[in-house]
Amino acid sequence: MSKMDVPYKIYLEEQEIPTSWYNVRSDMKNKPAPLIHPGTLQPLKFEDMQPIFCDELIRQELDNETQFIPIPDEVMNFYKMYRPSPLVHAVFLEKALDTPAHIFYKFEGNNTSGSHKLNSAIAQAYYAKKQGLKGVTTETGAGQWGTALSMACSYFGLDCKVFMVKVSYEQKPFRREVMRTYGANVTPSPSMDTEIGKKINAEHPGTTGSLGCAISEAVEVATSTPGYRYELGSVLNQVLLHQSIIGLETKAACDKYGIKPDIIIGCAGGGSNLGGLISSFMGEKLRGEADYRIVAVEPASCPSFTRGKYVYDFCDTGKVCPMAKMYTLGHDFIPSANHAGGLRYHGMSPVLSQLYADGLMEAVSVEQTSVFKAAEQFARVEGILPAPESSHAIRVAIDEALKCKETGEEKVIIFGLTGTGYFDLKAYEAYNNGTMTDYIPTDEDLAKGFASIPDLGL
Amino acid sequence: MSKMDVPYKIYLEEQEIPTSWYNVRSDMKNKPAPLIHPGTLQPLKFEDMQPIFCDELIRQELDNETQFIPIPDEVMNFYKMYRPSPLVHAVFLEKALDTPAHIFYKFEGNNTSGSHKLNSAIAQAYYAKKQGLKGVTTETGAGQWGTALSMACSYFGLDCKVFMVKVSYEQKPFRREVMRTYGANVTPSPSMDTEIGKKINAEHPGTTGSLGCAISEAVEVATSTPGYRYELGSVLNQVLLHQSIIGLETKAACDKYGIKPDIIIGCAGGGSNLGGLISSFMGEKLRGEADYRIVAVEPASCPSFTRGKYVYDFCDTGKVCPMAKMYTLGHDFIPSANHAGGLRYHGMSPVLSQLYADGLMEAVSVEQTSVFKAAEQFARVEGILPAPESSHAIRVAIDEALKCKETGEEKVIIFGLTGTGYFDLKAYEAYNNGTMTDYIPTDEDLAKGFASIPDLGL
């Protein structure tokens, strides 16, 4: 490919937005391991999940066979509010790097939630509404998922109760106010509204909370309040299904303009973005129709893929959720306090874990300051201030493009720009001030997390 | 028009982006009054402005005749990074209001500066670079313009010195960090780096600064440092020229899809957005080719159009800038401290002032809490958290659509959504908490500002 004759920003036409989600599990020879009940160690059945999740979402969670699942009209209407998202030809970055590589990014930040999370939030809210529920509960750390679910619930007139990790509630009030503007009920966690919250507050007076605790509170409220269910923004199969819209659109844009990617790069926390971005491409790869290098990028401070174990573990610190077979650092693993942004989940999507175990994708970990260096470079030439999470993918995309400069190869690189960094400026400030530090856990640090993984004899 | 068969979001093709700016002054029978020198009271000539502004920008400032000015290729390349901006069909808002009106908005918030300001910033930075300058200076309040100019300077490798009102620098650190990420030198104003800053600090120890003071500092540095000039983000004729891209694109999108607006609504502070949005439409109106209702919306707390005087006044509180004939509340007028967001300038673009004086547009003022009520309603149904400034236009667009509901008229309403509110969440918090208040200056309050207007005997 000598020259790319494509627009700077490729916007599909409205009628070109894919009308079905793609279920990558349908094409996997080795299916992802099922969620299991921590007591019985048996795979969770529909009925087991019913108190927690919406019925239709459970069906999607368990469905390893159906290849395409139609997007309901109501969800499609909402998608049209902010989709299709652009596939951007990063010509300014290419020029700055003086690379023969062709770099593209799929930008999911052009909506008020600021990230791709809205793609699954609106689907989950829709199924809750369809089931006649009054509302949903969830947890949020810095607030991206909570914001997305608040927007989705507002659209369908559903009540939305968000348990926000107390330290974020107090120190990062901005996303809290976005959620409130969308009518959500935002409670700092641990609260005195739940049994588990009271217990944690009694045992740890003055605690500033954790995601694990917020999950436990959200699940307690969902299961104890008639007409409520719990919803989660990552890790689950259903979330990857909804996020496949990212990959489907990317593939459609590539096909329309004759772009043939060599490398596809995405950041990975719980896997919602990466699983979405690679969906169609991984499908081709699984069916033997095409081959791509697919690269997951994770922070060196929370290296689930690159240094974790592929075993059954609890999905949450509070152990109220089912267990999943996944790459995990142990449910007690907590990333260093110096770690900015998201991607701090101890585990990984079971789907992506299986694909990685089967050698269908690579993983690489990168350090924080090098990530922000890439973020700064990208912001200056491409005009978008990226989220710290997304910047992990930028880092590796730049590294790959620089390798092409050495070899002279005109590789086509696509990466996922999951969102914007407008609510992460404390981290940018630390980088600008030169006070940001790196942290790589020692083997001893990791051993502590691994010690929390139960030995199930599976 | 019984039904609008247009996409939710109209994106022009890249090749449909207008390639020239439109100079509305060329079609005005009554030209805007020239800037005058406060000492001589004579119209400013090219040489008078040369120490302050870039040469080419002065030419544009003084040019009342040329109808179309080609957009330089380098600026066009940058525009393609974030333009064309979408013209969005507000179907969700129409449905929520149950109105027969057709509502569209031109959304300028999909770039990291968060507003339309980038349209002029990149042009001004380009002409500075072309002139071989080392850098530029400017002032910023909350930071939208400073952010835009930082991004533009970063792109062209120009030094950018921003004097940021001290209270914003300290209390609103996020935009400061965006500017720093783009390499700008951000100084809290009043500083000890300038003579005027030292003087103000000596006279008013502990002052938290004002926009007027920051302008004075920026101009002092520009005029006393070799290779530097001063750049301004609103009010000036050149700024309206660059912002005409908004109206040109809007008109092109309307023509492509057969949309014939009845009412065009924009918020007005110094006039950069409104002047841009209405450009092509006002041109048609001036040439007698079409008629539109054009409505400027300003805050009731800073009502330049609706309660100001159309006279010569200083453009800045510090009286270092030239004088302009405009609707003004007096250069000493300071909006109430309860006023959130921008639109707090005491004066108004001379171009818009002349058009308003000639009866070619209307103006209306709205109160703060009703603006945020509209903002909340819009955010919930249209999925975009609007800037407080933009929400003034939303308020009036909703009011007009509700009038249509009463009369049954299917009017077509277009308003300008200038930007996003991600950095205005303190104001949203006040609204969410019910602590936001309204303020309308009394005639006595206004009289104090009017008293600062010099009697020039003109």
Side-chain angles (χ1 to χ4, degrees):
Chain A
M1 205 177 299
S2 63
K3 187 181 166 292
M4 283 279 180
D5 190 19
V6 298
Y8 284 65
K9 296 185 302 300
I10 303 174
Y11 280 104
L12 294 176
E13 299 291 321
E14 202 170 285
Q15 61 275 20
E16 292 172 314
I17 300 179
T19 54
S20 293
W21 292 304
Y22 165 62
N23 182 2
V24 74
R25 284 167 282 160
S26 67
D27 285 315
M28 290 169 72
K29 199 181 291 178
N30 299 322
K31 306 295 180 191
L35 298 175
I36 61 170
H37 189 285
T40 65
L41 305 188
Q42 292 302 306
L44 284 186
K45 289 195 289 287
F46 183 87
E47 311 80 68
D48 300 325
M49 299 193 215
Q50 241 181 338
I52 305 179
F53 298 121
C54 301
D55 292 356
E56 192 58 34
L57 291 168
I58 301 172
R59 284 185 201 105
Q60 294 180 353
E61 191 66 27
L62 294 171
D63 184 348
N64 286 344
E65 306 305 329
T66 311
Q67 194 174 23
F68 288 96
I69 295 179
I71 302 172
D73 286 348
E74 293 84 344
V75 175
M76 203 63 186
N77 278 339
F78 189 91
Y79 276 172
K80 287 178 183 168
M81 206 190 270
Y82 67 99
R83 306 203 69 85
S85 72
L87 180 68
V88 185
H89 187 186
V91 287
F92 300 99
L93 182 61
E94 289 174 7
K95 196 177 158 200
L97 299 174
D98 189 23
T99 175
H102 304 281
I103 310 175
F104 294 83
Y105 55 92
K106 181 70 170 169
F107 180 43
E108 292 288 319
N110 271 352
N111 71 75
T112 283
S113 83
S115 82
H116 66 292
K117 295 282 183 185
L118 201 51
N119 299 329
S120 184
I122 192 62
Q124 295 193 39
Y126 166 73
Y127 290 117
K129 183 71 179 177
K130 198 180 161 203
Q131 196 173 324
L133 298 177
K134 284 186 202 158
V136 299
T137 73
T138 198
E139 80 293 330
T140 203
Q144 273 182 337
W145 167 247
T147 306
L149 194 61
S150 300
M151 290 177 69
C153 285
S154 166
Y155 182 70
F156 284 122
L158 278 171
D159 186 29
C160 183
K161 289 183 193 298
V162 182
F163 286 89
M164 186 172 190
V165 177
K166 194 178 275 177
V167 63
S168 296
Y169 183 92
E170 288 166 355
Q171 293 181 5
K172 297 183 179 175
F174 283 6
R175 277 206 201 267
R176 178 188 80 205
E177 293 306 323
V178 181
M179 289 186 265
R180 289 181 71 202
T181 298
Y182 281 93
N185 180 317
V186 188
T187 305
S189 167
S191 75
M192 296 302 279
D193 297 354
T194 66
E195 293 310 312
I196 190 126
K198 286 178 201 165
K199 184 161 172 277
I200 291 168
N201 273 315
E203 286 172 4
H204 307 278
T207 177
T208 54
S210 72
L211 209 51
C213 169
I215 292 178
S216 306
E217 289 203 277
V219 172
E220 181 184 319
V221 169
T223 52
S224 63
T225 315
Y228 280 75
R229 292 293 185 282
Y230 169 71
E231 303 202 320
L232 182 64
S234 193
V235 183
L236 296 175
N237 298 344
Q238 59 187 265
V239 176
L240 265 70
L241 174 71
H242 306 146
Q243 294 294 358
S244 69
I245 188 80
I246 306 173
L248 289 159
E249 274 187 14
T250 305
K251 183 73 171 68
C254 284
D255 289 349
K256 185 169 177 179
Y257 287 95
I259 302 162
K260 295 186 194 309
D262 297 294
I263 314 175
I264 299 158
I265 301 167
C267 61
S272 69
N273 157 65
L274 180 68
L277 176 69
I278 67 175
S279 61
S280 299
F281 303 98
M282 183 57 84
E284 287 184 289
K285 194 164 172 168
L286 287 165
R287 296 188 302 270
E289 297 164 7
D291 197 17
Y292 306 99
R293 266 187 72 202
I294 292 176
V295 184
V297 189
E298 57 186 18
S301 59
C302 192
S304 324
F305 267 140
T306 51
R307 296 175 72 193
K309 295 187 178 183
Y310 186 38
V311 292
Y312 266 104
D313 191 13
F314 284 97
C315 290
D316 65 316
T317 321
K319 300 198 263 190
V320 299
C321 293
M323 303 181 79
K325 189 176 179 190
M326 58 185 175
Y327 282 87
T328 177
L329 297 166
H331 59 271
D332 276 356
F333 179 84
I334 293 181
S336 161
N338 88 330
H339 177 70
L343 310 181
R344 45 195 308 137
Y345 185 62
H346 68 276
M348 183 55 67
S349 142
V351 169
L352 294 183
S353 292
Q354 185 64 51
L355 292 167
Y356 182 62
D358 288 344
L360 289 154
M361 48 185 277
E362 308 165 28
V364 60
S365 76
V366 290
E367 292 182 49
Q368 180 158 271
T369 53
S370 76
V371 165
F372 274 81
K373 190 175 174 191
E376 182 187 74
Q377 181 170 23
F378 180 83
R380 290 189 181 184
V381 297
E382 288 289 327
I384 295 172
L385 188 81
E389 296 84 350
S390 326
S391 304
H392 287 72
I394 298 174
R395 172 74 274 159
V396 174
I398 290 177
D399 291 345
E400 290 290 339
L402 291 175
K403 280 183 209 163
C404 288
K405 187 177 176 179
E406 282 180 25
T407 62
E409 289 173 288
E410 292 190 19
K411 285 189 182 162
V412 177
I413 299 168
I414 294 182
F415 71 89
L417 190 72
T418 57
T420 49
Y422 304 139
F423 294 101
D424 303 287
L425 283 156
K426 278 283 169 196
Y428 274 97
E429 182 177 16
Y431 179 76
N432 291 336
N433 289 340
T435 57
M436 178 171 276
T437 55
D438 288 317
Y439 169 75
I440 302 178
T442 63
D443 288 343
E444 289 69 34
D445 294 332
L446 291 186
K448 285 178 209 162
F450 291 147
S452 68
I453 300 173
D455 182 3
L456 303 181
L458 289 176
Chain B
M1 205 177 298
S2 63
K3 187 181 168 291
M4 281 279 180
D5 190 20
V6 299
Y8 283 65
K9 298 187 300 303
I10 303 173
Y11 280 103
L12 295 176
E13 299 291 321
E14 201 171 287
Q15 61 274 21
E16 292 172 316
I17 301 179
T19 53
S20 293
W21 293 302
Y22 165 63
N23 183 1
V24 73
R25 285 166 283 161
S26 67
D27 284 315
M28 290 170 71
K29 198 181 292 178
N30 299 322
K31 306 293 181 192
L35 297 174
I36 61 170
H37 189 288
T40 65
L41 304 190
Q42 291 302 307
L44 284 186
K45 288 195 289 285
F46 183 86
E47 311 80 67
D48 300 323
M49 299 195 217
Q50 241 181 338
I52 305 179
F53 299 121
C54 301
D55 292 357
E56 191 59 33
L57 292 168
I58 301 172
R59 284 184 201 106
Q60 294 180 353
E61 191 66 28
L62 294 171
D63 184 348
N64 286 344
E65 306 305 328
T66 311
Q67 194 174 24
F68 288 97
I69 295 180
I71 301 172
D73 286 348
E74 292 85 344
V75 175
M76 203 62 187
N77 278 339
F78 189 91
Y79 276 172
K80 286 178 183 169
M81 206 189 271
Y82 68 100
R83 307 203 69 84
S85 73
L87 180 68
V88 185
H89 188 187
V91 286
F92 300 99
L93 182 60
E94 290 174 6
K95 196 177 157 198
L97 298 174
D98 189 24
T99 175
H102 304 281
I103 311 174
F104 294 83
Y105 56 90
K106 181 71 170 168
F107 180 43
E108 292 287 319
N110 270 351
N111 71 75
T112 282
S113 83
S115 82
H116 66 291
K117 295 281 183 186
L118 201 51
N119 299 330
S120 183
I122 192 63
Q124 295 193 39
Y126 166 73
Y127 291 117
K129 182 72 180 178
K130 198 180 161 205
Q131 196 173 323
L133 298 177
K134 283 185 201 158
V136 299
T137 73
T138 198
E139 79 294 330
T140 202
Q144 273 181 337
W145 167 247
T147 307
L149 194 61
S150 300
M151 290 177 69
C153 286
S154 167
Y155 182 72
F156 284 121
L158 278 171
D159 185 28
C160 182
K161 289 185 194 295
V162 181
F163 286 90
M164 186 172 190
V165 176
K166 194 179 273 177
V167 64
S168 296
Y169 182 92
E170 287 167 356
Q171 292 180 5
K172 298 182 180 175
F174 283 7
R175 278 207 201 266
R176 176 188 82 206
E177 292 306 323
V178 181
M179 289 186 263
R180 289 182 70 203
T181 298
Y182 281 93
N185 181 317
V186 188
T187 305
S189 166
S191 74
M192 296 301 279
D193 296 355
T194 66
E195 293 311 312
I196 189 128
K198 285 179 202 164
K199 184 160 172 278
I200 290 170
N201 273 315
E203 287 172 3
H204 307 279
T207 177
T208 54
S210 72
L211 209 52
C213 169
I215 293 178
S216 306
E217 289 203 277
V219 172
E220 181 184 320
V221 170
T223 51
S224 62
T225 315
Y228 281 75
R229 292 294 185 282
Y230 168 72
E231 303 203 320
L232 182 64
S234 193
V235 183
L236 297 174
N237 299 344
Q238 59 187 265
V239 175
L240 265 69
L241 174 72
H242 307 146
Q243 295 294 358
S244 69
I245 188 80
I246 306 173
L248 289 158
E249 275 188 13
T250 306
K251 183 72 171 68
C254 284
D255 289 349
K256 185 170 177 179
Y257 288 95
I259 301 163
K260 296 187 194 307
D262 297 294
I263 315 174
I264 299 159
I265 301 166
C267 62
S272 69
N273 157 66
L274 181 68
L277 175 68
I278 67 175
S279 60
S280 298
F281 303 98
M282 184 58 85
E284 286 184 290
K285 194 164 170 166
L286 288 164
R287 296 188 302 271
E289 297 164 7
D291 197 17
Y292 306 99
R293 266 187 72 202
I294 292 176
V295 184
V297 189
E298 58 186 17
S301 58
C302 192
S304 325
F305 267 140
T306 51
R307 297 175 71 193
K309 296 187 178 183
Y310 186 38
V311 292
Y312 267 104
D313 190 12
F314 284 98
C315 291
D316 64 317
T317 320
K319 301 197 262 189
V320 299
C321 294
M323 302 181 80
K325 189 176 178 190
M326 58 186 174
Y327 282 85
T328 177
L329 298 166
H331 59 272
D332 276 356
F333 178 83
I334 294 181
S336 160
N338 89 330
H339 177 70
L343 310 182
R344 45 195 307 138
Y345 185 62
H346 68 275
M348 184 56 67
S349 142
V351 169
L352 294 182
S353 292
Q354 186 64 50
L355 292 168
Y356 182 62
D358 289 343
L360 288 154
M361 49 186 276
E362 309 164 27
V364 60
S365 75
V366 290
E367 291 182 50
Q368 181 157 271
T369 52
S370 76
V371 165
F372 274 81
K373 191 175 173 191
E376 182 187 74
Q377 181 170 23
F378 180 83
R380 289 189 182 185
V381 297
E382 288 289 326
I384 294 170
L385 189 81
E389 296 84 350
S390 326
S391 304
H392 287 71
I394 298 174
R395 172 73 275 159
V396 173
I398 289 177
D399 291 344
E400 291 290 340
L402 291 175
K403 280 183 209 162
C404 288
K405 188 177 174 179
E406 281 179 26
T407 61
E409 288 173 289
E410 294 190 20
K411 286 189 182 164
V412 176
I413 300 168
I414 293 183
F415 71 90
L417 189 72
T418 57
T420 49
Y422 304 139
F423 294 101
D424 303 286
L425 282 157
K426 278 283 170 198
Y428 273 96
E429 183 177 15
Y431 179 76
N432 291 335
N433 289 340
T435 57
M436 177 171 276
T437 54
D438 288 316
Y439 169 74
I440 303 177
T442 63
D443 287 344
E444 289 70 34
D445 293 331
L446 291 186
K448 286 179 208 161
F450 291 147
S452 68
I453 300 174
D455 182 4
L456 304 179
L458 288 176

